[in-house]
Amino acid sequence: MVWLPPFLIPMSEVPPVTVGAADVSDLLFAAVAGPTALGWMVTYVLAIRQARRDGRTGIPAYLIAVNIAWEFSLTFLLEQTPTQRQINFLWLVFNVFLFAQALRYGPRDYPGLSARTFRWTLAGVLVWASVVVMVGANELHDVDGMYTGMIIQVPLSAAFILMLRRRGSSAGQSMHIAVAKTVGSLFAGLTAVIVYPSHHLLQVLVPTYVVLDVAYVVLLRRTMLREGRPLWAFRHPAAGAGSPPEPGTGRRAGAGVPGGCRLPVR
């Protein structure tokens, strides 16, 4: 096709993915990787707590399946750096509890699905994501999960915004979770950019999900103010919270009887 104008950007002579990690001091690495691990552990603990209080998952259910697939696959199945394996294992412990909550509370967010169908699809996402993570990390020789982790971060951050919109309330969510998640993700991105400065895809993915995280914090704040829910109170109930539905119904136990009420479906 000689009639086309010449291309503007030539392909890299050395594929950036083949360029190894930069020589980063242990102190600098700990300064960015430490808050990453801690931020996400705090996020998981707070999400577990909020889900128990509100009867709604603290993290979007299907992304919990993706998270646990990433952590399990890169802890036990595929070769990874020793430090990253240990961090993954710690996260995996918390995600087991989150996944159990997703099985229990997740159907409330999908009233069009029976509880059985929802749980089968959740299991399907878990298996599919495990295969993709394994193949993708191996294909990219992603020995510390940077590429696969940053790619997952984008739909995860977007899913929080969609979850807030779907519920129409702050149920299962809190500013503490939102801020801890933003901090953990931000430092994960800084780790990726510092350790792999020549991997330009990471430099696109990180700002993308950071913007989504900040947008979620802003939208959650507006929602909580509209509800009259204190932004930083631990014990104040969230609007739309309640006990989990009867399997396959999307209704609270007691709905339709004296003292019961039907939950709004959004």
Side-chain angles (χ1 to χ4, degrees):
M1 300 234 176
V2 294
W3 52 271
L4 288 174
F7 54 80
L8 299 178
I9 302 173
M11 189 71 72
S12 302
E13 292 186 9
V14 177
V17 71
T18 64
V19 180
D23 186 13
V24 177
S25 69
D26 292 341
L27 180 61
L28 177 57
F29 180 79
V32 289
T36 300
L38 182 60
W40 271 104
M41 281 191 284
V42 170
T43 300
Y44 290 154
V45 170
L46 293 174
I48 291 169
R49 176 187 179 276
Q50 198 67 41
R52 287 173 59 88
R53 289 181 58 83
D54 293 352
R56 307 295 286 268
T57 58
I59 294 176
Y62 286 106
L63 271 299
I64 293 174
V66 174
N67 269 353
I68 202 170
W70 185 85
E71 290 156 1
F72 181 84
S73 299
L74 300 188
T75 299
F76 295 110
L77 302 181
L78 189 67
E79 177 189 1
Q80 292 280 278
T81 58
T83 299
Q84 189 61 47
R85 288 187 69 200
Q86 294 174 52
I87 294 173
N88 292 349
F89 178 76
L90 292 176
W91 287 339
L92 178 63
V93 171
F94 294 106
N95 258 304
V96 168
F97 290 97
L98 286 164
F99 190 73
Q101 289 182 329
L103 291 172
R104 181 179 181 185
Y105 303 133
R108 294 194 68 188
D109 286 328
Y110 301 93
L113 300 176
S114 68
R116 179 183 177 87
T117 300
F118 167 79
R119 287 161 186 155
W120 273 109
T121 59
L122 192 68
V125 169
L126 175 61
V127 173
W128 176 83
S130 298
V131 173
V132 171
V133 167
M134 288 276 294
V135 174
N138 183 67
E139 188 119 342
L140 296 169
H141 198 66
D142 196 11
V143 294
D144 46 17
M146 286 293 183
Y147 270 109
T148 51
M150 296 300 105
I151 290 170
I152 288 171
Q153 282 279 3
V154 174
L156 175 61
S157 296
F160 271 86
I161 297 174
L162 296 175
M163 178 177 70
L164 179 64
R165 180 177 177 84
R166 182 187 305 112
R167 292 178 182 173
S169 77
S170 63
Q173 304 157 87
S174 73
M175 289 297 293
H176 303 90
I177 296 172
V179 171
K181 174 190 176 300
T182 300
V183 170
S185 298
L186 175 62
F187 277 92
L190 289 175
T191 304
V193 171
I194 289 172
V195 174
Y196 294 104
S198 59
H199 292 195
H200 305 305
L201 178 57
L202 301 179
Q203 297 166 8
V204 174
L205 295 173
V206 172
T208 300
Y209 73 68
V210 169
V211 169
L212 291 172
D213 283 346
V214 172
Y216 173 67
V217 171
V218 172
L219 292 172
L220 179 61
R221 180 180 182 276
R222 290 178 182 174
T223 300
M224 293 176 68
L225 290 175
R226 186 178 68 245
E227 296 169 349
R229 179 184 173 190
L231 295 179
W232 304 105
F234 265 108
R235 299 185 178 277
H236 196 280
S243 57
E246 298 169 359
T249 64
R251 295 175 56 185
R252 289 175 58 180
V257 299
C261 63
R262 183 183 297 272
L263 285 176
V265 176
R266 296 183 173 90

